[in-house]
Amino acid sequence: MNMKNTIILLGIILMGIINLNAQDCYTVKEINNKTENPDLSSKRFTFGIKQMTEELLGEKFTICLDGKPVVVNITSIEAPTVGINIGPFMIKKKHTIVKTEIIMNDIVYVGEGSAKLSVKTTFAELKDENLPFEKSVFASAVKKSLQDGISKI
């Protein structure tokens, strides 16, 4: 075998090894709000979830524009509140729980995340007992839920 054939053969072998190591790439195609709250379908909300998902997936997988589709469903948001009365004051502890589904390669990975929030109020009620009132707490719970789901992939 001459030198030219050896170099061509070596090139073919190397290309085969590189292709074996090539990883599939993914793109977050959809963010779906499966809860009863229409506010969670806003562009700002879905864009934020998409960015968060891509960032977290990017730690384990390659992200690209035309990759295999990834779908994220926000399936439930719970914010149970426990109140303790101390004289004229009420101390409310709110625990936000977010559940998500990440669908990759036709497999559903369920995640759950929570964040704690304490509020001290004087005879005042929180505006909405069903949803977290502070965006940063909500975002923190969503991120933990996505991390939980992605850790199962």
Side-chain angles (χ1 to χ4, degrees):
M1 204 156 71
N2 64 22
M3 188 63 142
K4 186 177 175 185
N5 287 348
T6 304
I7 291 173
I8 291 171
L9 184 60
L10 187 60
I12 291 170
I13 290 170
L14 283 175
M15 283 174 43
I17 291 170
I18 291 169
N19 280 344
L20 288 175
N21 289 333
Q23 204 176 14
D24 290 332
C25 71
Y26 296 90
T27 186
V28 179
K29 291 278 188 203
E30 290 177 47
I31 305 293
N32 298 309
N33 172 20
K34 301 288 185 179
T35 71
E36 293 178 11
N37 187 306
D39 297 336
L40 302 180
S41 296
S42 72
K43 290 269 189 220
R44 194 179 75 162
F45 173 77
T46 55
F47 183 73
I49 300 295
K50 183 177 195 265
Q51 278 189 315
M52 200 180 287
T53 305
E54 287 173 345
E55 178 186 317
L56 294 169
L57 276 175
E59 294 172 7
K60 288 177 85 170
F61 303 98
T62 304
I63 302 298
C64 59
L65 288 175
D66 294 324
K68 291 183 174 183
V70 175
V71 175
V72 176
N73 295 325
I74 307 299
T75 55
S76 79
I77 299 164
E78 301 165 16
T81 301
V82 176
I84 302 166
N85 287 322
I86 302 173
F89 299 100
M90 177 178 270
I91 298 170
K92 287 193 174 188
K93 290 191 174 188
K94 202 164 192 177
H95 195 79
T96 304
I97 301 164
V98 177
K99 294 180 183 173
T100 56
E101 293 175 342
I102 299 161
I103 304 166
M104 267 179 83
N105 299 320
D106 297 323
I107 300 171
V108 178
Y109 301 94
V110 176
E112 183 175 311
S114 64
K116 291 180 182 174
L117 180 65
S118 296
V119 177
K120 188 176 178 180
T121 60
T122 306
F123 298 112
E125 301 250 338
L126 298 175
K127 287 183 181 180
D128 186 348
E129 292 291 320
N130 297 317
L131 278 177
F133 64 92
E134 194 177 320
K135 291 287 186 190
S136 62
V137 172
F138 176 70
S140 170
V142 170
K143 186 170 187 174
K144 288 177 184 175
S145 180
L146 291 170
Q147 285 171 325
D148 182 41
I150 289 169
S151 73
K152 298 170 183 173
I153 297 173

